[in-house]
Amino acid sequence: MCFDNLPYGYNVVWYDDFSSPEIDKKKWRQIPAMAGTGNGDHVVTEGEHNLKIENNELVMSARREPDGTYTSNKSLTTKDKMAFKYGLIEMRAKVPYGKPAWPSFWTQSYAPLRRAPYMTEIDIFEVFAKDNQLDFTIHKWYEKEVNEASGYHVQKGTNPFLFASKEEAEQYHIYAMNWTPEKIEFLIDGKVCGTFDITESGEFDDTAKSGKTGGMTGMHDYAYLLFNCYIF
């Protein structure tokens, strides 16, 4: 974040520039928050094989190992370390695109402070093995007792964002989310590329419209950060 160019009314309340030789365990932890490839050829690790700090940068690596398996690190997260509600969060990153890359920068609602009867997921960006495309998406994940279907899930996305080329996509960019009581904006290099209305007018779940669930309450629950360099 460029602290000299903050939007009017914003103050820095949390950041990490990875200037220490090791990951700050007061800010971060690793958890298995992502599903694997499902066919036994993907191993999730914890340690410096796939995640370390080099030259004041956090480096996440998804690797193909000599035995043919793929390795990637567990999700790096602020869960139980930092949760927030509203504000501007951004990350400067060089992200891999193309097969089999599945990098993502996202949030989940923090259960101890959750008011909604569902878990909220906000994908600040997600790359599904595309050469120059990323997606912005919001999700509701319901508990079984809230809905008849186990793990009932509904999501809403914006139009995918396209870089001009894979080469441009894989340069350093600033990926950001500006979260207010009325909307969530997704930005790349300071430009708004997608917006969601998170007032009750923005409801996107038909079951919620009938009053059976929590409406848009979850889009205002406290959330924690996660990011990954995973295998799709």
Side-chain angles (χ1 to χ4, degrees), residues 69-99:
T69 61
Y70 292 89
T71 61
S72 63
N73 60 281
K74 293 181 180 179
S75 299
L76 190 67
T77 178
T78 65
K79 184 179 182 181
D80 297 326
K81 307 286 186 178
M82 185 278 290
F84 67 105
K85 178 179 177 178
Y86 307 141
L88 176 68
I89 188 78
E90 64 180 28
M91 174 177 68
R92 179 177 180 268
K94 188 175 184 180
V95 177
Y97 285 73
K99 295 181 179 180

Side-chain angles (χ1 to χ4, degrees), residues 2 33 50 52 54 58 62 65 69 90-91 107 110 116 121 126 131-132 174 192-193 195 219:
C2 180
N50 295 97
K52 58 185 176 181
E54 291 182 343
L58 180 72
E65 305 296 344
T69 61
E90 64 180 28
M91 174 177 68
T107 73
Y110 186 49
E121 174 185 337
E126 195 165 19
D131 284 348
N132 64 333
I174 296 176
V192 176
C193 301
T195 303
M219 301 299 151

